[in-house]
Amino acid sequence: MAGVWVFNNGVYRLESSPRRRVLVHLPSGEVVASYSSLDRILRGLGWERYYGGDPELYQFHKHSSIDLISLPKDFSKFCSVHMYDIVVKNPNVFHVRDM
């Protein structure tokens, strides 16, 4: 659980942290703010869209590996778990930063 415990009027309550995380493309310094920008960057790295899986996912695969990147169709559900998956599968290309 991320956040801070606050004691007020005899009650403890967890307040969530106001920071959010972003995926950064290191060579350009670009913050990935949409799937269209992520798609452009991944295609430049040799990734291709994969259409054979779950229709609720936005997926990429690379012919030179067995890796598959699976992301939710809705970009608003794109979270740090998905970001770190991209970072691990593309070492030295992406980084997750706190904003």
Side-chain angles (χ1 to χ4, degrees):
M1 272 193 268
V4 177
W5 285 98
V6 176
F7 184 75
N8 191 11
N9 295 329
V11 177
Y12 277 105
R13 156 179 103 238
L14 181 64
E15 291 188 358
S16 62
S17 177
R19 68 179 185 191
R20 68 180 183 107
R21 295 186 178 201
V22 294
L23 182 66
V24 178
H25 180 238
L26 292 175
S28 67
E30 175 185 355
V31 172
V32 176
S34 68
Y35 279 147
S36 60
S37 66
L38 180 61
D39 184 82
R40 179 180 40 78
I41 294 167
L42 289 176
R43 286 179 188 271
L45 296 170
W47 291 89
E48 297 176 356
R49 282 292 309 275
Y50 177 72
Y51 295 98
D54 187 339
E56 295 300 312
L57 298 174
Y58 198 56
Q59 297 180 307
F60 293 89
H61 74 98
K62 204 173 197 180
H63 285 291
S64 62
S65 75
I66 61 169
D67 291 333
L68 182 68
I69 297 173
S70 297
L71 309 170
K73 279 269 191 196
D74 183 357
F75 190 77
S76 68
K77 295 179 182 172
F78 182 66
C79 66
S80 61
V81 171
H82 304 110
M83 294 177 196
Y84 283 113
D85 185 38
I86 293 169
V87 169
V88 167
K89 293 173 181 167
N90 296 280
N92 303 316
V93 178
F94 290 97
H95 183 71
V96 177
R97 293 195 181 136
D98 289 333
M99 289 297 283

